[in-house]
Amino acid sequence: MAATEVERVVEISNNMRNLTLSGHVGFDSLPDQLVNKSVSQGFCFNILCVGETGIGKSTMMDTLFNTNFDSTPSSHDLPGVKLKAHTYELREKNVLLKLTVVDSVGFGDQINKEDSWKPIVDYIDAQFDAFLQEELKIKRMLHSYHDSRVHTCLYFIAPTGHSLKALDLVTMKKLDSKVNIIPVIAKADTITKSELNKFKAKIMSELMANGVQIYHFPVDDETVADTNNSMNTHLPFAVVGSNDEVKIGNKMVKARQYPWGTVQVENENHCDFVKLREMLIRTNMEDLRETTHFRHYELYRRHKLEEMGFSDSDTRSLSETYEQKRQEHITNLQKKEDEMRQTFVIRVKEKEGELKDAEKELHARFDQLKKQHADEKKKIEDSRKRLEDEINLFNQRKAATEAQHSTMGKKKK
């Protein structure tokens, strides 16, 4: 934009006037229009559950949404980590929610846990890539496209009461730039309240010391700033999940019964389940969706487009950039083809040299064998000649002896 145009825009903005309408126009119905449109289309929300096998991920999802999702217990002998996604349609009053729950099956069960985080990162990137491919299509269908990008990751921490495992720190560090991480302490009823508070403080200090960026509830909206600011101090949430209902007083509540008492899931004196549900679903679900799109997806999209050769500083049009990249690609292919051809020629020459050396070696071997054969033949001929001479000499001596005996016999007579 030219300098004069910038000055003109600034001048217009400075001269903007607030007008009082003399009558009703109707654009105050815009929020209602947006609400009606959103409700008619429905919403989608995708949750990734990461944690060790048997830590209570499926039970927590059932408790959060007050339903029974399809889940099968997983064994501890899987060779690697697998991501399983299940999509459900939930309807509350007149609002439709398409919920996708992604479970990390087999996480933490292997002896070698070095690359346990990789299938999770690959899954998140695959969903980003699918959305990017839909955006880059000539005929886009984003309004009907099922957005499978992960909006939040509930990272379940084992209630050890000591510190985070190395696997937890490494995995969360790999995920923090790709998804909104909300750490939760699973089965929090297994440790005492004082131990739980110390454990929370220890977890947050370790995350900060290792540079792990977890999701913090936004405080820029005045309507929820105080609540979110207070809830940020309770992270990580210590939660308890249960599919069982127990009668407490005159009503049935979700709870876990023990010989020593009953732990009520929705009792804030017992655990932070209500806080998690309030922050995750009722207050900040839309912010989680927006953060996923405008922060994590945009970061992935930028890196992907930079790999393709696009940049913000490039003043050329898309067609010019595409044509340049196409020509560069063709040039690279031609260069690689020439290199392969040269390599092939060099290898052929090397092979021909090896064959010629082998041929020379065979000829030398043949000449050597031929000479050896001639020498052996000469030796045999010489031996045969000496033998024949000896036989002739023997025959001569024999004839002479026989003649001598014959002469002596005649004289005696």
Side-chain angles (χ1 to χ4, degrees):
M1 184 180 294
T4 54
E5 293 180 359
V6 173
E7 293 173 358
R8 184 169 177 270
V9 170
V10 172
E11 182 182 355
I12 292 175
S13 62
N14 291 333
N15 294 332
M16 287 179 60
R17 295 180 298 163
N18 292 325
L19 297 178
T20 302
L21 303 180
S22 58
H24 180 257
V25 177
F27 56 78
D28 60 350
S29 66
L30 272 173
D32 296 332
Q33 296 176 35
L34 292 174
V35 169
N36 294 334
K37 183 178 180 180
S38 298
V39 170
S40 64
Q41 290 179 348
F43 303 89
C44 74
F45 191 60
N46 307 319
I47 301 178
L48 170 63
C49 299
V50 179
E52 299 174 0
T53 304
I55 204 169
K57 302 187 292 295
S58 300
T59 303
M60 179 53 58
M61 288 299 101
D62 292 346
T63 311
L64 269 176
F65 292 94
N66 197 25
T67 186
N68 292 316
F69 296 115
D70 301 329
S71 62
T72 55
S74 176
S75 61
H76 291 267
D77 56 355
L78 295 177
V81 181
K82 294 183 178 179
L83 279 295
K84 289 187 178 180
H86 298 279
T87 301
Y88 311 91
E89 287 190 356
L90 307 179
R91 186 175 292 276
E92 187 175 30
K93 294 183 179 178
N94 197 33
V95 178
L96 175 67
L97 177 67
K98 184 174 286 188
L99 175 69
T100 300
V101 179
V102 186
D103 189 12
S104 56
V105 181
F107 181 78
D109 290 339
Q110 297 75 36
I111 295 177
N112 183 4
K113 302 177 178 65
E114 184 177 359
D115 293 331
S116 296
W117 54 269
K118 196 172 186 306
I120 304 174
V121 172
D122 290 344
Y123 177 85
I124 296 174
D125 286 344
Q127 311 317 308
F128 283 155
D129 189 67
F131 191 86
L132 179 60
Q133 293 299 325
E134 183 66 26
E135 274 192 332
L136 295 177
K137 286 182 179 179
I138 296 177
K139 185 178 180 181
R140 299 185 297 179
M141 303 291 288
L142 292 176
H143 63 282
S144 61
Y145 175 76
H146 173 54
D147 187 2
S148 59
R149 294 173 297 176
V150 178
H151 298 122
T152 185
C153 169
L154 292 182
Y155 196 96
F156 290 77
I157 301 170
T160 60
H162 300 291
S163 61
L164 288 171
K165 298 179 181 178
L167 175 63
D168 298 329
L169 287 172
V170 170
T171 303
M172 281 194 275
K173 185 61 179 176
K174 295 291 184 181
L175 295 177
D176 64 357
S177 63
K178 296 180 178 295
V179 68
N180 303 310
I181 300 176
I182 300 178
V184 295
I185 302 173
K187 298 182 178 180
D189 53 337
T190 59
I191 54 178
T192 64
K193 201 162 189 176
S194 60
E195 290 176 340
L196 189 59
N197 292 331
K198 293 178 181 178
F199 191 34
K200 283 187 175 185
K202 181 70 173 176
I203 290 173
M204 294 305 294
S205 65
E206 288 185 347
L207 292 176
M208 187 176 298
N210 288 275
V212 178
Q213 301 294 325
I214 63 172
Y215 175 78
H216 285 87
F217 305 112
V219 294
D220 51 354
D221 187 353
E222 294 180 358
T223 58
V224 294
D226 294 338
T227 303
N228 282 352
N229 192 35
S230 174
M231 288 301 172
N232 283 329
T233 62
H234 289 279
L235 290 172
F237 292 128
V239 297
V240 177
S242 176
N243 292 326
D244 301 327
E245 290 190 349
V246 179
K247 188 172 184 180
I248 304 294
N250 294 326
K251 62 179 182 178
M252 302 296 292
V253 297
K254 297 277 187 181
R256 299 184 71 88
Q257 280 190 317
Y258 296 96
W260 45 263
T262 302
V263 177
Q264 300 178 37
V265 172
E266 297 185 354
N267 189 332
E268 294 194 49
N269 292 322
H270 293 181
C271 69
D272 297 332
F273 171 79
V274 174
K275 296 182 178 66
L276 174 63
R277 183 179 61 188
E278 183 73 25
M279 292 296 98
L280 181 66
I281 301 173
R282 298 178 180 177
T283 306
N284 298 296
M285 179 183 284
E286 186 58 27
D287 183 75
L288 287 166
R289 285 158 38 91
E290 289 182 356
T291 304
T292 298
H293 180 77
F294 292 110
R295 179 183 171 188
H296 300 299
Y297 170 69
E298 282 299 319
L299 181 63
Y300 174 85
R301 176 179 173 273
R302 186 180 70 196
H303 289 165
K304 203 70 175 178
L305 292 179
E306 285 176 351
E307 288 178 3
M308 297 168 63
F310 297 96
S311 64
D312 292 335
S313 60
D314 198 344
T315 58
R316 294 168 300 177
S317 65
L318 180 62
S319 60
E320 291 174 342
T321 304
Y322 170 77
E323 182 62 26
Q324 181 191 0
K325 295 303 170 186
R326 191 177 73 86
Q327 292 297 334
E328 290 178 358
H329 181 65
I330 293 174
T331 303
N332 290 332
L333 287 179
Q334 186 65 39
K335 183 179 178 181
K336 289 181 179 179
E337 184 179 353
D338 294 339
E339 290 176 353
M340 291 178 65
R341 186 179 293 109
Q342 291 176 3
T343 303
F344 177 74
V345 171
I346 292 172
R347 289 185 177 178
V348 167
K349 289 182 178 179
E350 290 177 352
K351 197 66 177 177
E352 287 179 351
E354 291 176 1
L355 291 174
K356 287 181 179 179
D357 292 340
E359 186 179 2
K360 289 179 180 179
E361 185 178 352
L362 287 174
H363 281 299
R365 181 66 176 165
F366 176 74
D367 293 339
Q368 183 182 359
L369 290 175
K370 187 176 179 181
K371 183 180 178 182
Q372 185 179 354
H373 177 264
D375 293 341
E376 293 292 335
K377 185 177 180 181
K378 187 175 181 301
K379 289 180 180 179
I380 293 173
E381 288 292 335
D382 293 341
S383 299
R384 185 176 64 80
K385 186 176 180 181
R386 285 196 302 269
L387 183 60
E388 288 177 351
D389 291 342
E390 290 176 359
I391 292 174
N392 293 332
L393 181 60
F394 175 77
N395 289 333
Q396 290 175 4
R397 289 179 180 177
K398 181 181 178 182
T401 304
E402 288 179 352
Q404 186 180 4
H405 283 298
S406 177
T407 304
M408 289 178 65
K410 290 180 179 180
K411 287 181 179 181
K412 287 181 181 179
K413 292 179 178 179

